[in-house]
Amino acid sequence: MSGHFSSLVAADQSGNARVPVTVLTGFLGSGKTTLLNRLLREPELEGTAVIVNEFGEIGIDHDLIAHTTEDTILLANGCMCCAVRGDLVGALVSLGERNATDGSALRQVLIETSGLADPAPILRTVMGDPAVKERFALAGVCCTVDAVLARGTLDRHPEAVRQIAMADQLFFTKTDLLEEQIPQELLDEVKRLNPTGAMHQQREQHVSVLRQTMQAGANAARPLFEESSPFYRPFPTAGNAGEPTPHPGGITSFVIVRDDPLPRDGFYAWLDMVIAMRGEDLLRVKGIVNLLEQPEQPLVFHGVQHLYQPPVSLPAWPSPDRRTRIVFITRGVDAAAMDESLRIFERRRRQRPPAAPSPEPTSKP
């Protein structure tokens, strides 16, 4: 095997646990800090570090603060909060080194982005920086969605589109300000923009879901593919990419589905080609793959642009659905061409003739 993705398959298998990192994003005024403050009032959050990745004051309620030193706030429930006004890599490395030297048990990290932030650079840092990825792994992306103002925001601000498109968990906020339920048009738009994101409309669920994401563990692939995940919803298409759904900023989302198992070498070669040629335009890719060589152990993977977590083979299928499903959230990528390119690699590998048998030795008369 060669190439970026296939090289991950042979990556370090030492089994050393990495600290899971959850990214909390959402547009200005959508309720990120309100949700964070609710989370930090929860008991038993020892071992949690919170990084606020924006300039200005840390938006933590004052009655949660136990002690302040420079850019670090120690919270009464045992959490630690850092205000990052510069290098996110430095903050994560510092947390990792402190964890290694003073014996403290750093269990999880939460990064709150600024309201105008594109999440991609933060995800690239967690997944791609050599000094970070040795000790940390992406556990998930959570996004707050303003149920009152999101429709107009999505039309005017491409940052809000990218925040929603890249999320694993979507929290609808300010629902108490609506006279009726969340407009179906908004729900449909969010679903088209992010077909696999789990949508949470009940405010009471938000903190518990955020905690579950944070505490899922350093194996970032597994929590994205549990049976309860919306990733296992039946898709309207089977065996093809279907019609992509366009959004502001040129973002499209589509899914490639295969009923038959894929040859391992063909799949790896295809994904390596896709990453090399279109990596900058792949906002988020998530997949569960039925490989011909290991039909009982599905391969799960996810990535951002050129960066991918090492793929994981699950011990068993988490649901009766054994189809390969690869979800793309992209910028300007043609769904039909992507689907056909996979078919070419499938045929090429399946039709490869078997190696010629060695000639039988001839006996001398």
Side-chain angles (χ1 to χ4, degrees):
M1 293 182 293
S2 62
H4 181 87
F5 179 80
S6 54
S7 66
L8 289 174
V9 181
D12 175 46
Q13 299 294 325
S14 62
N16 294 330
R18 293 181 292 166
V19 177
V21 177
T22 302
V23 176
L24 176 61
T25 189
F27 199 69
L28 292 169
S30 63
K32 293 187 308 301
T33 302
T34 299
L35 176 57
L36 176 59
N37 283 324
R38 289 173 54 208
L39 171 76
L40 295 178
R41 293 180 187 278
E42 292 280 297
E44 301 178 0
L45 281 179
E46 290 85 0
T48 301
V50 179
I51 296 176
V52 181
N53 191 40
E54 62 181 332
F55 293 95
E57 296 293 330
I58 296 180
I60 306 297
D61 284 350
H62 290 292
D63 59 353
L64 295 174
I65 297 174
H67 182 64
T68 303
T69 58
E70 297 180 352
D71 284 347
T72 299
I73 291 179
L74 301 179
L75 304 178
N77 63 357
C79 295
M80 178 175 61
C81 185
C82 305
V84 178
R85 295 177 174 86
D87 186 9
L88 178 60
V89 173
L92 287 169
V93 169
S94 176
L95 286 173
E97 290 176 347
R98 183 183 309 174
N99 186 50
T101 57
D102 67 8
S104 59
L106 179 63
R107 294 186 175 90
Q108 61 252 342
V109 176
L110 177 70
I111 301 175
E112 181 193 7
T113 75
S114 71
L116 291 173
D118 178 351
I122 293 176
L123 303 189
R124 287 198 298 268
T125 296
V126 176
M127 299 174 66
D129 188 278
V132 173
K133 66 180 182 180
E134 290 183 358
R135 293 175 175 171
F136 299 93
L138 180 66
V141 181
C142 299
C143 179
T144 51
V145 182
D146 188 326
V148 177
L149 301 176
R151 289 293 306 282
T153 299
L154 290 172
D155 290 338
R156 294 189 299 271
H157 298 282
E159 302 93 341
V161 175
R162 293 168 71 90
Q163 290 165 355
I164 290 176
M166 301 179 76
D168 303 301
Q169 310 289 345
L170 295 154
F171 302 125
F172 285 87
T173 61
K174 303 184 182 179
T175 54
D176 57 315
L177 301 180
L178 297 173
E179 295 182 358
E180 299 179 354
Q181 295 180 336
I182 300 174
Q184 188 61 44
E185 295 82 359
L186 174 58
L187 296 175
D188 292 342
E189 174 65 13
V190 172
K191 182 83 65 155
R192 286 192 297 269
L193 181 59
N194 187 340
T196 65
M199 298 197 299
H200 306 281
Q201 302 182 39
Q202 303 300 320
R203 182 177 184 271
E204 302 77 34
Q205 301 174 346
H206 294 175
V207 170
S208 63
V209 172
L210 180 56
R211 282 195 66 170
Q212 290 168 13
T213 303
M214 294 169 59
Q215 297 170 346
N219 179 357
R222 191 177 303 273
L224 298 180
F225 298 96
E226 297 290 352
E227 186 170 359
S228 59
S229 166
F231 189 82
Y232 285 105
R233 288 195 313 266
F235 288 106
T237 59
N240 57 59
E243 291 295 326
T245 54
H247 304 281
I251 294 175
T252 59
S253 57
F254 58 90
V255 59
I256 291 178
V257 183
R258 290 292 187 269
D259 294 320
D260 297 327
L262 298 175
R264 182 194 303 271
D265 287 350
F267 168 70
Y268 288 158
W270 170 74
L271 194 55
D272 278 336
M273 181 271 295
V274 169
I275 295 170
M277 295 184 65
R278 301 306 302 266
E280 288 299 320
D281 298 317
L282 305 178
L283 301 185
R284 198 83 193 269
V285 181
K286 296 188 284 187
I288 182 164
V289 183
N290 187 344
L291 293 177
L292 192 63
E293 293 80 0
Q294 54 180 66
E296 300 303 320
Q297 297 178 307
L299 185 80
V300 295
F301 72 95
H302 74 108
V304 176
Q305 296 182 328
H306 290 99
L307 301 172
Y308 288 74
Q309 297 283 143
V312 176
S313 292
L314 300 184
W317 286 88
S319 84
D321 189 348
R322 296 192 171 201
R323 295 176 301 162
T324 291
R325 282 148 288 161
I326 307 172
V327 178
F328 288 88
I329 298 173
T330 72
R331 181 179 52 226
V333 174
D334 184 271
M338 189 75 72
D339 183 76
E340 180 57 30
S341 68
L342 177 57
R343 293 190 186 281
I344 293 172
F345 279 85
E346 288 179 76
R347 291 194 295 266
R348 181 184 304 172
R349 301 291 169 153
R350 284 199 174 109
Q351 294 173 2
R352 177 182 294 172
S358 300
E360 292 291 334
T362 56
S363 58
K364 295 181 181 180

Coordinates of all heavy atoms in Angstrom, one line a residue, residues 317-348:
W317 N -20.3 -5.6 13.0 CA -21.2 -4.5 12.4 C -22.2 -4.0 13.6 O -22.8 -4.8 14.2 CB -22.0 -5.0 11.3 CG -21.2 -5.2 10.0 CD1 -20.5 -6.3 9.6 CD2 -21.0 -4.2 9.0 NE1 -19.9 -6.0 8.4 CE2 -20.2 -4.7 8.0 CE3 -21.5 -2.9 8.8 CZ2 -19.8 -4.0 6.9 CZ3 -21.1 -2.2 7.7 CH2 -20.3 -2.8 6.7
P318 N -22.3 -2.7 13.7 CA -23.1 -2.2 14.8 C -24.6 -2.2 14.5 O -25.4 -1.8 15.3 CB -22.6 -0.8 15.1 CG -22.0 -0.4 13.7 CD -21.5 -1.7 13.1
S319 N -25.0 -2.5 13.2 CA -26.4 -2.6 12.9 C -26.5 -3.6 11.7 O -25.6 -4.0 11.2 CB -26.9 -1.2 12.4 OG -26.6 -1.0 11.0
P320 N -27.8 -4.0 11.4 CA -28.0 -5.0 10.4 C -27.6 -4.4 9.0 O -27.4 -5.2 8.1 CB -29.5 -5.2 10.4 CG -29.9 -4.9 11.8 CD -29.0 -3.7 12.2
D321 N -27.5 -3.1 8.8 CA -27.1 -2.5 7.5 C -25.6 -2.7 7.3 O -24.8 -2.1 8.0 CB -27.5 -1.1 7.5 CG -27.4 -0.4 6.1 OD1 -26.8 -1.1 5.3 OD2 -27.9 0.7 6.0
R322 N -25.3 -3.5 6.3 CA -23.9 -3.8 6.0 C -23.4 -3.1 4.7 O -22.4 -3.5 4.2 CB -23.6 -5.3 5.9 CG -23.9 -6.0 7.2 CD -23.4 -7.4 7.2 NE -23.4 -8.0 8.5 CZ -22.7 -9.1 8.9 NH1 -21.9 -9.6 8.0 NH2 -22.8 -9.6 10.1
R323 N -24.1 -2.1 4.2 CA -23.7 -1.4 3.1 C -22.5 -0.5 3.4 O -22.4 0.0 4.5 CB -24.8 -0.6 2.5 CG -26.0 -1.4 2.0 CD -27.1 -0.4 1.5 NE -27.5 0.4 2.7 CZ -28.2 1.6 2.5 NH1 -28.6 2.0 1.3 NH2 -28.6 2.3 3.6
T324 N -21.6 -0.3 2.4 CA -20.6 0.8 2.5 C -21.4 2.1 2.3 O -22.1 2.3 1.4 CB -19.6 0.6 1.4 OG1 -18.8 -0.6 1.7 CG2 -18.7 1.8 1.3
R325 N -21.1 3.0 3.2 CA -21.6 4.4 3.1 C -20.6 5.4 3.4 O -19.9 5.4 4.5 CB -22.8 4.5 4.2 CG -24.1 3.9 3.7 CD -24.9 3.4 4.9 NE -24.2 2.2 5.5 CZ -24.5 1.8 6.8 NH1 -25.3 2.5 7.5 NH2 -23.8 0.7 7.2
I326 N -20.3 6.3 2.4 CA -19.3 7.3 2.6 C -19.9 8.6 2.3 O -20.5 8.9 1.3 CB -18.1 7.1 1.6 CG1 -17.6 5.6 1.7 CG2 -17.0 8.1 1.8 CD1 -16.6 5.3 0.6
V327 N -19.9 9.5 3.4 CA -20.6 10.8 3.3 C -19.5 11.9 3.0 O -18.5 11.9 3.7 CB -21.3 11.1 4.6 CG1 -21.9 12.4 4.6 CG2 -22.3 10.0 4.9
F328 N -19.8 12.7 2.0 CA -18.9 13.8 1.7 C -19.6 15.1 1.9 O -20.8 15.3 1.5 CB -18.5 13.7 0.2 CG -17.6 12.6 -0.2 CD1 -18.0 11.3 -0.5 CD2 -16.2 12.8 -0.2 CE1 -17.2 10.3 -0.8 CE2 -15.3 11.8 -0.5 CZ -15.8 10.6 -0.8
I329 N -18.9 16.0 2.6 CA -19.4 17.4 2.6 C -18.2 18.2 2.0 O -17.1 18.2 2.5 CB -19.7 17.9 4.0 CG1 -20.8 17.0 4.6 CG2 -20.0 19.4 4.1 CD1 -21.1 17.3 6.1
T330 N -18.5 18.8 0.8 CA -17.4 19.3 0.0 C -17.7 20.7 -0.5 O -18.8 21.2 -0.4 CB -17.2 18.4 -1.3 OG1 -18.3 18.6 -2.2 CG2 -17.2 16.9 -0.9
R331 N -16.7 21.2 -1.2 CA -16.8 22.5 -1.9 C -16.5 22.3 -3.3 O -15.3 22.1 -3.7 CB -15.8 23.5 -1.3 CG -15.8 24.9 -1.9 CD -14.9 25.8 -1.2 NE -13.5 25.2 -1.1 CZ -12.8 25.2 0.0 NH1 -13.2 25.7 1.1 NH2 -11.6 24.7 0.0
G332 N -17.5 22.3 -4.2 CA -17.3 22.2 -5.6 C -16.9 20.8 -6.2 O -16.3 20.8 -7.2
V333 N -17.2 19.7 -5.5 CA -16.8 18.4 -5.9 C -18.0 17.8 -6.6 O -19.1 17.8 -6.0 CB -16.3 17.5 -4.8 CG1 -16.1 16.1 -5.2 CG2 -15.0 18.1 -4.2
D334 N -17.8 17.2 -7.8 CA -18.9 16.6 -8.5 C -19.2 15.2 -8.0 O -18.4 14.3 -8.0 CB -18.5 16.5 -10.0 CG -19.7 16.0 -10.9 OD1 -19.8 14.7 -11.0 OD2 -20.5 16.8 -11.3
A335 N -20.4 15.0 -7.5 CA -20.8 13.7 -6.9 C -20.8 12.6 -7.8 O -20.3 11.5 -7.5 CB -22.2 13.9 -6.2
A336 N -21.3 12.8 -9.0 CA -21.4 11.7 -10.0 C -20.0 11.3 -10.4 O -19.7 10.1 -10.6 CB -22.2 12.1 -11.2
A337 N -19.1 12.2 -10.6 CA -17.7 11.9 -11.0 C -17.0 11.2 -9.9 O -16.2 10.2 -10.1 CB -16.9 13.2 -11.4
M338 N -17.3 11.6 -8.6 CA -16.7 10.9 -7.5 C -17.1 9.4 -7.4 O -16.4 8.5 -7.2 CB -17.0 11.6 -6.2 CG -16.2 11.1 -5.0 SD -14.5 11.6 -5.0 CE -14.7 13.3 -4.6
D339 N -18.4 9.2 -7.7 CA -19.0 7.9 -7.6 C -18.4 7.0 -8.8 O -18.1 5.9 -8.5 CB -20.5 8.0 -7.8 CG -21.2 6.6 -7.7 OD1 -21.4 6.1 -6.6 OD2 -21.6 6.1 -8.7
E340 N -18.3 7.6 -9.9 CA -17.8 6.8 -11.1 C -16.3 6.5 -10.9 O -15.9 5.4 -11.3 CB -18.0 7.6 -12.4 CG -17.5 6.9 -13.6 CD -18.1 5.5 -13.8 OE1 -19.3 5.3 -13.4 OE2 -17.4 4.6 -14.4
S341 N -15.6 7.4 -10.3 CA -14.1 7.1 -10.1 C -14.0 5.9 -9.1 O -13.1 5.1 -9.3 CB -13.4 8.3 -9.5 OG -13.9 8.6 -8.2
L342 N -14.8 5.8 -8.1 CA -14.8 4.6 -7.3 C -15.1 3.3 -8.0 O -14.4 2.3 -7.9 CB -15.7 4.7 -6.1 CG -15.8 3.5 -5.1 CD1 -14.4 3.2 -4.6 CD2 -16.8 3.8 -4.0
R343 N -16.1 3.4 -9.0 CA -16.4 2.2 -9.8 C -15.2 1.8 -10.6 O -15.0 0.6 -10.8 CB -17.6 2.5 -10.7 CG -18.9 2.7 -9.9 CD -20.1 2.8 -10.9 NE -21.3 3.2 -10.1 CZ -22.0 2.3 -9.3 NH1 -21.6 1.0 -9.3 NH2 -23.0 2.7 -8.7
I344 N -14.4 2.7 -11.1 CA -13.3 2.4 -11.9 C -12.3 1.6 -11.1 O -11.7 0.6 -11.5 CB -12.6 3.7 -12.5 CG1 -13.6 4.3 -13.5 CG2 -11.3 3.4 -13.1 CD1 -13.1 5.6 -14.0
F345 N -12.0 2.1 -9.9 CA -11.1 1.4 -9.0 C -11.6 0.0 -8.6 O -10.8 -0.9 -8.4 CB -10.7 2.3 -7.8 CG -9.7 3.3 -8.1 CD1 -10.0 4.5 -8.6 CD2 -8.3 3.0 -7.8 CE1 -9.1 5.5 -8.9 CE2 -7.4 4.0 -8.1 CZ -7.7 5.2 -8.6
E346 N -12.9 -0.1 -8.4 CA -13.5 -1.4 -8.0 C -13.3 -2.4 -9.1 O -12.8 -3.5 -8.9 CB -15.0 -1.2 -7.8 CG -15.4 -0.5 -6.6 CD -17.0 -0.4 -6.5 OE1 -17.6 -1.4 -6.2 OE2 -17.5 0.7 -6.8
R347 N -13.6 -2.0 -10.4 CA -13.4 -2.9 -11.5 C -12.0 -3.3 -11.7 O -11.6 -4.4 -12.0 CB -14.0 -2.3 -12.8 CG -15.5 -2.1 -12.7 CD -16.1 -1.8 -14.1 NE -15.6 -0.5 -14.6 CZ -16.3 0.6 -14.5 NH1 -17.5 0.6 -13.8 NH2 -15.8 1.7 -15.0
R348 N -11.1 -2.3 -11.6 CA -9.7 -2.5 -11.9 C -9.1 -3.6 -10.9 O -8.4 -4.5 -11.3 CB -8.9 -1.2 -11.7 CG -7.4 -1.4 -12.0 CD -6.7 0.0 -11.8 NE -7.3 1.0 -12.6 CZ -6.9 2.3 -12.4 NH1 -6.0 2.6 -11.5 NH2 -7.4 3.3 -13.2

